[in-house]
């Protein structure tokens, strides 16, 4: 593969303003070509791009095409930077009016040097906000696609689409479906801007001369016009890859624009590694419909602020995953100590969750055409979510890790929308770690708050996810939670029900439909603040679950907690896979008595504090 750096533009406006600047701040830059102006961190703009592409493992040759007016500058630069001087190509132009045009410059290099290979084209006078992106990832993505590749980024606030080539990209295939060069504001909804960074197949190179024949004027020989013609008219397959960073081409810009963007990107670069990124994700309770989320049912769940997981990411020289001192023990007091801890806690801590999330994140970004930076980091986690009691502790760690990675690599909600994010988290656990799980926990932890979820088959088949609706959390009744200190008998909750459902067993199929019906009724009760009706539905949910899964599967610990709650007239059900119960007791005096009885029975008991992402919540403790 061959790389061509384009620096043949005539920066007449910028050069004139530098020459005439009366402040004295830019006198040393008079006559300096655009690409040799200071970039981020004081490094010349072209130095950054040369360092990026200067590897024989990726490119057999690198060429630089410039104009006759600035040729000597780049010849000197090449000598000083170990760039082959013979690969500096002079296009012969000396003025803006006499320029060839960017596409003609590219065609000149290919024709004069008789190049017959795939080509990477980059504007060497382009400011890039991210000084660490991985160009090897770009080339891998290009080779995986049956067409050309155009790099794009998401416009920052304040940037106008009328100053860029704007693309529309199919989210499934990543093919660019439309390209408009500098469209008037409002013509395109897309905020995805193409930059002069392209990968072109050897077989497509003849289209360059065809385009030049159609465009005799230099001002029309821009790459924007070329891609408009190739994509919109010729219908060639051109794919898009996103770099989660910003770009500014130092073309016909003013001195104020150059200094503004240089200062902006430099400030971003200085701030990015300083502060650690810490993200929190909260435990959840399934209030209705679970476990039908794995069976095309419907559920309602709620995040609670009583328990949470937190993950912290800080930039580092190498990528490090730190084990948790309690959950990932590597030192023990004795063999007996190891035996006791392993017997109670098992062998699977949170470290595997961090590793699996990182692996899946890289895989996702590569597949989705998102080029990540070559920055490394250190990850650590902590959690107070009780283990093995069905409160979504594992998915909370995965979700918090994903939030950290998205912030660190500047991945936006449009890159990874919430419904897809929930699927991603589930896939980390099911595909990578073979954890039996459904979508409910991941959805409610992504959306946060009180969430109604419809996993109907037609929705899952048509759009790949369900319908998820955040519900009003104002004036909720007082829910309570109790869980076992030793949940050793609570891990068999899923039993063989899935296989029975897949086999079409009538009892199981009808039960899952009934769970969905209960959920719709519970939604109505929540909206109407009919707490007595909600409590009755919670009891119905448990009894339906009991009839399908049987007492032997539920386990004696879970059944004991349910029976204890019923003695005090409280509604009760399982909030997850087992090991805990969630309830609704409208009699405050009996709630106090019930707490004591649970504690005397060796259980942990607490009043639930709902977590509302909006920060405003009112819990009605009088109903």
């Amino acid at each position: 593969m061959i790389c061509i750096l384009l620096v043949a533009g005539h920066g007449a406006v910028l050069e004139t303003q530098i020459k005439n600047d009366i402040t004295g701040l830019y006198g040393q830059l008079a006559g300096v070509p655009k690409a040799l102006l200071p970039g981020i961190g004081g490094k010349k703009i072209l130095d950054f791009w040369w360092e990026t592409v200067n590897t024989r493992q990726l490119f057999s040759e690198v060429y630089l095409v410039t104009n006759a007016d600035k040729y000597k500058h780049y010849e000197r630069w090449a000598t000083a930077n170990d760039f082959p001087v013979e690969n500096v190509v002079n296009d012969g132009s000396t003025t803006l009016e006499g320029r060839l045009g960017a596409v003609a410059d590219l065609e000149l290099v290919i024709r004069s040097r008789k190049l017959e290979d795939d080509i990477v084209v980059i504007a060497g006078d382009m400011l890039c906000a991210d000084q660490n992106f991985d160009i090897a990832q770009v080339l891998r993505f290009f080779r995986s696609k049956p067409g050309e590749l155009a790099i794009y980024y998401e416009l920052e606030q304040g940037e106008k689409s009328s100053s860029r080539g704007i693309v529309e990209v199919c989210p499934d295939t990543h093919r660019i479906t439309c390209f408009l060069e500098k469209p008037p504001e409002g013509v395109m909804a897309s905020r995805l801007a193409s930059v002069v960074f392209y990968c072109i197949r050897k077989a497509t190179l003849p289209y360059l001369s065809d385009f030049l024949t159609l465009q005799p004027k230099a001002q029309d020989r821009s790459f924007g016009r070329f891609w408009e013609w190739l994509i919109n008219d010729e219908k060639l397959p051109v794919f898009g890859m996103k770099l989660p960073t910003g770009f500014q081409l130092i073309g016909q810009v003013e001195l104020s624009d150059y200094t503004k963007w240089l200062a902006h990107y430099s400030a971003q670069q200085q701030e990015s590694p300083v502060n650690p990124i810490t993200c929190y994700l909260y435990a959840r309770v399934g209030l209705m419909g679970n476990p039908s989320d794995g069976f095309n049912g419907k559920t309602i769940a709620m995040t609670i602020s009583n328990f949470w997981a937190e993950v912290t990411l800080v930039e580092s020289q190498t990528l490090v995953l730190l084990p948790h001192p309690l959950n990932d023990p590597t030192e023990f007091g004795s063999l007996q100590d190891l035996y006791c801890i392993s017997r109670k806690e098992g062998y699977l801590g949170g470290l595997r969750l961090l590793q699996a999330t990182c692996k899946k994140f890289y895989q996702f970004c590569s597949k989705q055409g998102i080029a990540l930076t070559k920055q490394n980091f250190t990850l650590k986690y902590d959690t107070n979510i009780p283990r093995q009691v069905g409160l979504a502790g594992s998915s909370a760690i995965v979700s918090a890790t994903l939030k950290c990675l998205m912030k660190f690599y500047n991945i936006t909600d449009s890159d990874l929308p919430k419904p897809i994010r929930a699927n991603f988290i589930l896939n980390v656990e099911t595909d990578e770690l073979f954890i039996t799980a459904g979508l409910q926990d991941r959805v409610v932890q992504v959306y946060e708050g009180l969430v109604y979820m419809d996993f109907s088959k037609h929705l899952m088949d048509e759009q790949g996810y369900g319908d998820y609706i955040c519900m009003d959390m104002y004036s909720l009744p007082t829910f309570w939670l109790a869980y076992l200190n030793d949940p050793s008998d609570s891990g068999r909750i899923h039993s063989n029900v899935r296989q029975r459902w897949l086999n079409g067993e009538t009892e199981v199929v009808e039960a899952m439909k009934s769970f969905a019906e209960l959920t719709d009724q519970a939604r109505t009760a929540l909206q109407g603040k009919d707490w007595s009706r909600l409590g009755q539905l919670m009891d119905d949910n448990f009894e339906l679950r009991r009839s399908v899964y049987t007492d032997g599967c539920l386990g004696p610990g879970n059944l004991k907690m349910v029976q204890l709650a019923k003695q005090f007239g409280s509604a009760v059900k399982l909030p997850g896979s087992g090991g805990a119960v969630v309830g609704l007791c409208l009699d405050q005096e009996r709630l106090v008595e019930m707490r004591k009885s649970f504690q005397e029975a060796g259980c942990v008991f607490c009043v639930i504090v709902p977590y509302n992402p909006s920060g405003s919540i009112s819990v009605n403790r009088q109903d």
Side-chain angles (χ1 to χ4, degrees):
M1 196 164 201
I2 294 170
C3 179
I4 298 174
L5 299 173
L6 299 180
V7 293
H10 296 271
V13 176
L14 179 59
E15 189 171 336
T16 299
Q17 290 187 354
I18 290 177
K19 182 180 179 180
N20 297 333
D21 177 60
I22 61 174
T23 66
L25 296 175
Y26 308 103
Q28 76 279 11
L29 301 180
V32 175
K34 297 178 296 177
L36 299 184
L37 290 172
I40 297 170
K43 183 187 301 181
K44 293 182 178 68
I45 298 172
L46 183 57
D47 287 352
F48 162 71
W49 291 112
W50 173 228
E51 290 176 8
T52 299
V53 303
N54 184 18
T55 170
R56 286 286 177 179
Q57 293 177 324
L58 300 178
F59 302 107
S60 58
E61 292 286 352
V62 180
Y63 290 89
L64 184 78
V65 56
T66 182
N67 56 55
D69 185 45
K70 301 299 182 185
Y71 176 79
K72 273 296 179 182
H73 287 272
Y74 289 109
E75 187 180 56
R76 295 282 179 86
W77 172 86
T79 303
N81 288 274
D82 198 27
F83 186 95
V85 177
E86 64 274 14
N87 284 5
V88 180
V89 179
N90 186 340
D91 77 355
S93 68
T94 56
T95 64
L96 178 64
E97 293 74 20
R99 69 190 184 279
L100 302 187
V103 177
D105 280 324
L106 174 61
E107 193 271 342
L108 170 65
V109 181
I110 294 170
R111 174 169 43 83
S112 63
R113 299 307 173 96
K114 297 179 173 58
L115 304 183
E116 296 183 354
D117 201 349
D118 294 342
I119 300 291
V120 172
V121 187
I122 302 174
D125 57 357
M126 183 167 56
L127 281 173
C128 177
D130 188 345
Q131 301 285 287
N132 296 293
F133 78 84
D134 186 359
I135 196 169
Q137 192 178 6
V138 174
L139 301 186
R140 284 193 296 271
F141 188 71
F142 167 59
R143 293 188 178 106
S144 74
K145 296 297 181 183
E148 285 31 82
L149 180 66
I151 297 300
Y152 65 88
Y153 76 104
E154 192 165 352
L155 290 173
E156 293 189 36
Q157 187 175 3
E159 286 190 90
K160 294 183 178 180
S161 59
S162 58
S163 65
R164 297 286 185 272
I166 302 300
V167 298
E168 291 179 350
V169 183
C170 174
D172 298 321
T173 65
H174 313 295
R175 181 169 175 170
I176 296 177
T177 56
C178 182
F179 188 112
L180 289 184
E181 174 70 354
K182 300 178 180 178
E185 294 295 319
V187 170
M188 293 182 73
S190 172
R191 296 278 295 169
L192 305 179
S194 171
V195 297
V196 183
F197 191 150
Y198 313 112
C199 299
I200 305 174
R201 295 175 299 168
K202 171 185 172 182
T204 307
L205 297 180
Y207 280 89
L208 295 171
S209 56
D210 294 344
F211 172 76
L212 293 175
T213 302
L214 296 171
Q215 303 292 349
K217 296 181 179 180
Q219 62 264 34
D220 296 325
R221 293 178 164 186
S222 67
F223 277 110
R225 297 300 178 200
F226 174 72
W227 292 113
E228 266 190 333
W229 171 71
L230 204 66
I231 294 169
N232 302 346
D233 298 341
E234 296 299 307
K235 306 297 183 184
L236 257 65
V238 179
F239 297 85
M241 185 176 198
K242 180 181 180 182
L243 288 181
T245 185
F247 293 90
Q248 291 296 324
L249 185 63
I250 308 302
Q252 295 304 313
V253 300
E254 297 186 0
L255 178 59
S256 59
D257 295 318
Y258 162 66
T259 55
K260 177 185 74 173
W261 287 108
L262 178 59
H264 177 61
Y265 289 160
S266 297
Q268 286 183 347
Q269 192 74 10
Q270 291 172 1
E271 293 171 2
S272 59
V274 174
N275 297 321
I277 298 170
T278 299
C279 295
Y280 297 86
L281 253 297
Y282 295 88
R284 69 90 194 92
V285 289
L287 293 181
M288 191 62 57
N290 59 302
S292 72
D293 54 312
F295 305 90
N296 296 131
K298 300 177 182 179
T299 67
I300 295 174
M302 179 174 67
T303 48
I304 63 174
S305 59
N306 304 68
F307 306 105
W308 64 89
E310 65 178 272
V311 174
T312 298
L313 181 153
V314 61
E315 188 172 3
S316 57
Q317 288 293 106
T318 58
L319 200 158
V320 181
L321 306 179
L322 296 178
H324 191 278
L326 293 178
N327 299 329
D328 305 291
T330 57
E331 294 186 15
F332 303 89
S334 65
L335 192 59
Q336 181 185 12
D337 183 35
L338 181 150
Y339 167 80
C340 293
I341 291 175
S342 301
R343 180 176 178 272
K344 183 175 182 179
E345 305 289 344
Y347 306 101
L348 305 176
L351 199 61
R352 63 185 180 133
L353 301 172
L354 303 185
Q355 185 171 350
T357 306
C358 291
K359 185 234 180 184
K360 203 74 173 177
F361 178 77
Y362 181 86
Q363 179 182 345
F364 172 86
C365 291
S366 298
K367 184 178 179 181
Q368 293 299 116
I370 301 172
L372 301 176
T373 65
K374 293 188 289 186
Q375 294 170 283
N376 284 324
F377 53 84
T378 295
L379 271 179
K380 65 178 181 178
Y381 79 97
D382 195 8
T383 180
N384 64 1
I385 301 176
R387 296 183 66 181
Q388 298 180 340
V389 297
L391 296 180
S394 294
S395 63
I397 294 172
V398 174
S399 301
T401 303
L402 179 59
K403 285 180 72 173
C404 284
L405 292 172
M406 290 179 66
K407 287 186 177 182
F408 185 67
Y409 287 107
N410 195 29
I411 304 301
T412 65
D413 286 346
S414 60
D415 297 323
L416 188 49
K418 286 184 176 182
I420 307 302
R421 205 178 309 168
N423 290 350
F424 174 98
I425 296 164
L426 178 64
N427 290 337
V428 169
E429 299 183 74
T430 57
D431 295 353
E432 298 296 321
L433 302 172
F434 307 105
I435 297 173
T436 301
L439 265 172
Q440 171 190 255
D441 300 356
R442 291 85 205 157
V443 172
V444 72
Q445 287 176 328
V446 165
Y447 283 81
E448 298 183 315
L450 181 66
V451 185
Y452 168 88
M453 294 159 271
D454 182 352
F455 303 102
S456 298
K457 188 177 187 303
H458 73 278
L459 293 173
M460 302 299 294
D461 290 344
E462 290 174 7
Q463 59 189 27
Y465 50 85
D467 278 349
Y468 311 135
I469 301 172
C470 293
M471 299 181 64
D472 181 19
M473 299 184 72
Y474 183 75
S475 193
L476 288 173
T478 302
F479 295 100
W480 57 266
L481 177 74
Y483 58 91
L484 300 168
N485 259 324
D486 182 9
S488 58
D489 68 344
S490 66
R492 304 183 301 279
I493 202 69
H494 289 287
S495 186
N496 65 342
V497 170
R498 168 158 292 277
Q499 190 57 52
R500 292 166 60 196
W501 180 73
L502 291 172
N503 292 341
E505 186 175 313
T506 302
E507 180 185 5
V508 178
V509 171
E510 291 303 315
M512 297 308 162
K513 292 179 181 178
S514 297
F515 279 122
E517 293 169 0
L518 289 175
T519 301
D520 284 334
Q521 295 175 45
R523 181 185 180 188
T524 300
L526 281 162
Q527 291 170 334
K529 304 190 185 307
D530 188 346
W531 309 136
S532 297
R533 176 59 177 159
L534 179 62
Q536 179 185 344
L537 292 168
M538 291 175 70
D539 285 334
D540 292 344
N541 194 122
F542 175 76
E543 293 302 329
L544 178 60
R545 183 171 188 166
R546 186 176 190 176
S547 69
V548 176
Y549 285 86
T550 73
D551 288 359
C553 180
L554 294 183
N558 293 314
L559 294 172
K560 179 181 178 181
M561 288 190 291
V562 169
Q563 188 59 39
L564 184 58
K566 288 183 176 296
Q567 292 177 10
F568 291 89
S570 175
V572 63
K573 65 181 292 295
L574 272 61
S577 58
V581 291
V582 61
L584 174 59
C585 183
L586 302 179
D587 187 325
Q588 295 300 302
E589 292 184 1
R590 304 203 75 182
L591 178 63
V592 173
E593 296 173 2
M594 183 169 57
R595 176 200 291 265
K596 294 178 181 178
S597 295
F598 267 98
Q599 291 171 339
E600 290 170 0
C603 298
V604 180
F605 185 99
C606 62
V607 171
I608 287 176
V609 181
Y611 175 72
N612 186 347
S614 69
S616 61
I617 188 163
S618 172
V619 177
N620 187 345
R621 301 188 184 278
Q622 305 302 318
D623 292 353

